[in-house]
Amino acid sequence: MSSILDGRPGLAAVIEQVAEVTGYLWQKGWAERNGGNITVNITEFVDDEIMAMPAISPVVQIGTTLPHLKGKYFYAKGTGKRMRDLARFPMQNGAIIRICEDCASYEIIADEPVMPTSELPSHLALQNYLIETGSSYKATLHTHPIELVAMSHIQRFLKGDEMTRVLWSMIPETLAFAPLGIGIVPYSLPGSIALAEATLEQIKTHDVVLWEKHGTVAVGTDIMDAFDQTDVLCKAANIYMCAKSMGSEPDGMTDAEMKEIQDVFKLPKERPC
Ligand code: 2HA
Ligand code: ZN
């Protein structure tokens, strides 16, 4: 069967990377059943032939209007599809969609009419923001990292910047590679517009957003970058839990030690474009 990837090595490489990352998500235990979602902005690979491709699905409403997405193209994981299946067959477990002229709906154009992820409003709201701000970031990742979700069940970590402070203090690399920390979104119905709006507000000032008792959302220059952002924070959460399971609250690096890293490495206070 022919594929939109045929004869388009650039686009094929992006999809191959998505498949590689979804394999990691499964191996890490972050992607039970159909858990998690991915979108990647692939508009840079769109040629005249892709633009002329007819829709292979009805027009579907997004549920919100996203003015910067007009005519943009995304790869989106399919709803109900498993990450571990996507790792082997990305174009049968996800699809390429085109955002319609009204900026409020989309249609599937390739390879198969696989309906996109249930969290599409959150992902597209983030993509709209990234384009609006001229960001080079192209990928969004929602997943269920065990240790971070576990910590989100403990109220003290959900207040202010407490979770970020604890995670940063576990290992210097966390601070270096996630200098904006983790933003918290209180529990909200999965797939809802309210969840999408709260996520957007938090990602503006954080590397990764944690949905209380559910999972994380990260953005990245590509899907590997979004995965790494999540992995760095989850590693710190894992160290916290390992130390705690030895019987006492871990010391953590001191505030002065963390400030030294921020100063010496001149860590950014906002997301670089
Ligand atoms: O796609 O993870 O939040 C399944 C989910 C929804
Ligand atoms: Zn989820």
Side-chain angles (χ1 to χ4, degrees):
M1 186 195 148
S2 71
S3 167
I4 192 171
L5 307 183
D6 296 343
R8 296 190 176 93
L11 180 56
V14 168
I15 304 303
E16 262 168 44
Q17 193 187 53
V18 170
E20 182 183 347
V21 165
T22 56
Y24 299 156
L25 298 175
W26 166 250
Q27 286 160 15
K28 282 188 154 290
W30 296 357
E32 74 291 345
R33 201 171 178 274
N34 63 317
N37 320 111
I38 284 174
T39 63
V40 184
N41 181 349
I42 54 117
T43 311
E44 66 189 293
F45 301 104
V46 169
D47 49 32
D48 291 348
E49 203 183 325
I50 294 182
M51 270 191 240
M53 282 176 141
I56 57 169
S57 74
V59 169
V60 185
Q61 297 303 312
I62 300 168
T64 180
T65 303
L66 300 164
H68 300 279
L69 295 192
K70 186 196 238 171
K72 298 284 192 269
Y73 291 74
F74 297 91
Y75 172 83
K77 173 186 170 277
T79 187
K81 301 296 185 187
R82 294 176 175 84
M83 291 289 187
R84 64 178 189 265
D85 292 339
L86 199 157
R88 290 172 301 142
F89 306 114
M91 296 308 289
Q92 281 140 52
N93 293 280
I96 306 289
I97 63 169
R98 175 198 289 139
I99 309 295
C100 301
E101 287 286 303
D102 64 1
C103 305
S105 56
Y106 68 86
E107 55 196 15
I108 301 172
I109 60 155
D111 280 349
E112 298 175 24
V114 176
M115 290 306 292
T117 160
S118 57
E119 302 288 3
L120 198 66
S122 281
H123 289 257
L124 291 184
L126 294 172
Q127 296 282 6
N128 185 66
Y129 167 73
L130 294 173
I131 293 170
E132 180 185 3
T133 54
S135 171
S136 59
Y137 284 49
K138 297 275 185 317
T140 64
L141 169 65
H142 163 57
T143 186
H144 301 163
I146 301 164
E147 293 86 350
L148 291 171
V149 177
M151 285 179 82
S152 82
H153 284 264
I154 298 168
Q155 284 303 312
R156 111 170 142 86
F157 292 125
L158 305 181
K159 297 201 176 76
D161 294 332
E162 178 61 4
M163 182 101 152
T164 293
R165 193 192 62 75
V166 170
L167 296 178
W168 277 351
S169 76
M170 287 297 110
I171 173 171
E173 274 75 0
T174 313
L175 184 50
F177 294 125
L180 307 183
I182 194 159
I184 310 287
V185 168
Y187 182 82
S188 203
L189 184 71
S192 63
I193 299 293
L195 183 58
E197 287 171 354
T199 306
L200 179 59
E201 274 321 293
Q202 289 298 316
I203 206 73
K204 290 178 183 173
T205 46
H206 297 92
D207 290 303
V208 172
V209 173
L210 180 62
W211 289 346
E212 181 182 348
K213 300 170 191 148
H214 182 164
T216 52
V217 176
V219 294
T221 50
D222 56 24
I223 198 66
M224 193 68 79
D225 184 36
F227 169 77
D228 280 337
Q229 290 299 115
T230 313
D231 193 29
V232 161
L233 288 161
C234 195
K235 171 72 178 269
N238 186 262
I239 293 169
Y240 175 83
M241 292 175 72
C242 286
K244 186 94 178 152
S245 69
M246 290 176 201
S248 60
E249 186 70 18
D251 294 340
M253 292 155 57
T254 65
D255 288 349
E257 285 164 345
M258 290 196 275
K259 171 109 183 28
E260 182 187 25
I261 292 178
Q262 278 169 327
D263 293 345
V264 170
F265 294 101
K266 298 189 175 44
L267 296 180
K269 302 254 182 332
E270 352 186 294
R271 182 185 309 290
C273 280

